Amino acid sequence: MKELTKSLATIQTKMKAKKSSYNSFGKYYFRKSEDILEAIKPFLLEHKVYVTVSEEMVATDPVPTLLSTATISNGTDAIHATALVGVDLNQKGMQTAQQFGAASTYGKKYALGNLFLIDDTEDADAGNKHGVVDKIKAKSKPDITADQMKKAVEYLEAGGDITAINKKYKMTNVQSNRLVKATIKYQTKDEEISDTTKA
């Protein structure tokens, strides 16, 4: 186990997984599980290890819940990391297979991220974030439209980041409160999934 731990620590330190995808709504770059797997490959033969990702259904009520497990092994010992993801069956514009596929991809990415200590925070806009620059940005932001508001609520209820929306649009207090409620709705759903799994 000592050798495997050493190999994992080396990979965690040296591996760089690029963010190859762009979210046009939130205006940030993000990585997919494929980016992480691609970054891992050069280390496998060097350290004589292999990496696998598996998943299983661990709950069906109140929503289907997938447990993704990322494993690194040298054939003798193994180290695991997991991620728990609920499947949003109410996600508009998606068939059931796509809803499960999206949850599966999300879970695999976070399981791999947990295993290799990858920080998946969104890239912030470049530049000064304080004082005059912030005031100029705030004045230049457009008012959010009804259609944009609808999309923003759907984005937050699916686990999106409210910060990205606040950076992009000007909103009234009523609109801001609506977005906060959407965020709370997602967090509550996530907590219910966690409680169900523990039970």
Side-chain angles (χ1 to χ4, degrees), residues 145-159:
T145 66
D147 185 59
Q148 289 166 338
M149 188 68 186
K150 180 180 177 183
K151 290 179 180 179
V153 169
E154 291 174 354
Y155 170 71
L156 293 174
E157 288 180 350

Side-chain angles (χ1 to χ4, degrees), residues 180-196:
V180 170
K181 288 179 181 178
T183 302
I184 294 173
K185 181 178 179 180
Y186 171 78
Q187 292 172 343
T188 302
K189 181 174 68 174
D190 200 39
E191 290 171 0
E192 289 174 352
I193 292 171
S194 178
D195 290 342
T196 302

Side-chain angles (χ1 to χ4, degrees), residues 7-17 39 43 46-47 116:
S7 295
L8 177 57
T10 300
I11 297 172
Q12 290 171 336
T13 303
K14 294 184 177 181
M15 188 181 76
K16 302 293 182 183
F43 296 96
E46 178 186 350
H47 293 277
F116 294 104

Side-chain angles (χ1 to χ4, degrees), residues 163-176:
T163 305
I165 300 171
N166 287 332
K167 286 180 180 178
K168 189 174 181 181
Y169 300 107
K170 283 193 294 185
M171 286 171 283
T172 64
N173 289 336
V174 173
Q175 290 171 327
S176 295

